[in-house]
Amino acid sequence: MNTAPASSAAAGEPRWLTDEEQRVWRAYVDATTLLEDHLDRQLQRDAGMPHVYYGLLVKLAEAPRRRLRMTELAKDAKITRSRLSHAVARLEKNGWVRREDCPSDKRGQFAVLTDEGMEVLRRHALGHVNAVRQAVFDRLTPEQQKSLGEIMGIVAEGLQPSEAGADLPWLR
């Protein structure tokens, strides 16, 4: 709720959102919450997995030799290492991923997409793409799509500081 004018920040008070900023922020929160729920329900219904697991399979499918170090996969997926470990354990149980020890680092491991995991992706990719297209791209003009991509790129870039010690999910 906007309780003070933006100019009060000079007096050491919080820099409250303007009414328009509040409208934009709430629209963003509502849309991202609803979108994640929509995609999660579609993938649970059609593929028996949450959206985050599908994203992990996609990242592995796009990686050379369908494998990534666990630390790199956590970074790419923007999730904590413990959440990744839990997710990979579930994907292993389904036979869609396997872990391999890293020969150059005794503590490191790779997550590897199995042939069965690749087949799961092939079977469910079209349904997922259709859900994304219907929920996002079919509702936007090409100009809006371009703007959305630019805006989200700027926001993501600002939330991923490169300095050592940054508080990022994959470092936790």
Side-chain angles (χ1 to χ4, degrees):
M1 177 176 200
N2 183 1
T3 59
S7 62
S8 68
E13 299 218 3
R15 197 170 146 229
W16 298 103
L17 298 179
T18 65
D19 289 343
E20 180 60 13
E21 289 168 336
Q22 189 69 253
R23 184 196 66 75
V24 169
W25 174 245
R26 289 183 181 178
Y28 167 81
V29 169
D30 289 350
T32 56
T33 300
L34 289 167
L35 179 60
E36 186 60 31
D37 178 70
H38 175 74
L39 297 176
D40 203 58
R41 283 183 296 115
Q42 179 268 319
L43 284 164
Q44 287 283 8
R45 180 187 64 240
D46 297 349
M49 75 177 96
H51 188 217
V52 70
Y53 290 16
Y54 184 86
L56 295 172
L57 297 180
V58 168
K59 291 187 183 310
L60 290 171
E62 294 172 344
R65 297 177 30 215
R66 299 189 324 207
R67 60 188 279 158
L68 283 172
R69 285 195 59 142
M70 292 284 284
T71 52
E72 191 65 27
L73 185 54
K75 181 180 178 183
D76 288 353
K78 313 286 187 269
I79 61 175
T80 64
R81 291 178 285 192
S82 78
R83 185 174 183 198
L84 174 66
S85 183
H86 177 76
V88 169
R90 295 289 307 270
L91 294 169
E92 279 181 302
K93 186 177 176 185
N94 291 340
W96 301 341
V97 170
R98 73 175 181 275
R99 292 182 214 217
E100 292 179 356
D101 290 333
C102 178
S104 64
D105 177 1
K106 299 288 185 215
R107 296 183 309 154
Q109 285 192 317
F110 287 96
V112 182
L113 182 66
T114 64
D115 291 341
E116 188 178 345
M118 191 67 186
E119 182 54 34
V120 166
L121 274 178
R122 283 190 189 104
R123 270 197 320 267
H124 299 289
L126 182 58
H128 181 62
V129 168
N130 284 339
V132 169
R133 181 168 296 292
Q134 176 270 327
V136 179
F137 295 100
D138 289 350
R139 298 171 186 273
L140 302 175
T141 66
E143 295 79 19
Q144 289 170 323
Q145 292 174 25
K146 182 178 180 200
S147 293
L148 180 63
E150 290 170 353
I151 291 165
M152 292 295 98
I154 290 167
V155 171
E157 184 180 321
L159 293 171
Q160 297 181 88
S162 58
E163 68 266 3
D167 184 22
L168 297 167
W170 55 92
L171 298 176
R172 288 185 226 135

